[in-house]
Amino acid sequence: MQKVLMTAADLLIMPESPGKRYELIKGELVEMTPSGGEHSNISALIAHFVYDYVLKMDLGTVHAAEGGFLIQRSPDTVLAPDVAFVSKAKLLGGRPPQGFVEAAPDLVVEVVSPSDSYQQVEKKAAQWLTAGASVVWVVNPATKSVAVWRAPNRITYLTGEDELDAEPALPGFRIKVTKLFPV
């Protein structure tokens, strides 16, 4: 019996299930485990810093974890990063669509949650880059560090007072790694 694959359109109209989120990986529905309080707090803090900068510079839009990005067709892959920035140039009329954004974000932020293996998150970072993201931050609350991916073989690890940037996605944006971890 052949497996029936879902499309991005199927996912978009799927009835909501309270407390559940999904991604679509090569046509297969994957349930996302809810993250904990630390994860969501760090994600919100990062979204705040990125959104403030994007708004001040009028660069595009910032998206939270509920937003899906269609990064591959036939079979479809729809991923939902913890935080994402999309430049105006990638958005028709400079505004996000009603449905999934049909492009990779310029900046992707993945916060490692308690249910993630680091290998899963690394695989996702590589997927984002292959799909066209300029830079991916993999934020690890356990080690209070950030791995900055600009290519699958070009990764910089930052901690403490190291300065994090989002070049080339957000020219001029800078923040110390310690500011991403409130406690």
Side-chain angles (χ1 to χ4, degrees):
M1 182 165 149
Q2 188 173 1
K3 190 184 292 189
V4 177
L5 299 179
M6 288 183 72
T7 66
D10 297 332
L11 179 61
L12 193 59
I13 62 169
M14 195 171 102
E16 285 191 34
S17 300
K20 295 188 178 189
R21 291 183 32 228
Y22 299 94
E23 289 183 325
L24 194 62
I25 310 294
K26 295 186 179 181
E28 293 187 34
L29 191 64
V30 176
E31 185 176 341
M32 306 299 294
T33 304
S35 62
E38 179 184 51
H39 177 279
S40 64
N41 182 242
I42 290 169
S43 297
L45 187 59
I46 293 169
H48 164 76
F49 290 130
V50 171
Y51 182 77
D52 273 358
Y53 189 81
V54 168
L55 187 64
K56 182 174 81 175
M57 305 301 283
D58 191 28
L59 298 172
T61 59
V62 177
H63 303 258
E66 295 78 24
F69 291 82
L70 176 57
I71 63 167
Q72 179 184 329
R73 287 227 180 247
S74 299
D76 293 357
T77 294
V78 177
L79 299 179
D82 293 308
V83 180
F85 159 70
V86 181
S87 63
K88 284 183 177 180
K90 286 190 175 181
L91 298 169
L92 193 59
R95 299 181 49 85
Q98 287 284 110
F100 301 123
V101 176
E102 292 195 39
D106 298 87
L107 168 66
V108 172
V109 180
E110 293 286 357
V111 179
V112 180
S113 67
S115 63
D116 290 331
S117 75
Y118 200 78
Q119 291 76 18
Q120 287 173 309
V121 181
E122 285 182 323
K123 182 179 178 185
K124 201 179 237 188
Q127 275 183 292
W128 284 118
L129 291 170
T130 300
S134 301
V135 63
V136 178
W137 294 347
V138 175
V139 179
N140 190 337
T143 60
K144 295 191 180 333
S145 65
V146 180
V148 180
W149 291 57
R150 289 191 171 83
N153 60 353
R154 192 170 150 225
I155 306 163
T156 306
Y157 296 93
L158 304 171
T159 61
E161 294 297 311
D162 291 340
E163 198 169 69
L164 176 64
D165 71 62
E167 300 287 343
L170 294 174
F173 179 88
R174 303 275 183 281
I175 190 166
K176 290 192 185 298
V177 171
T178 55
K179 290 203 171 238
L180 306 183
F181 304 101
V183 178

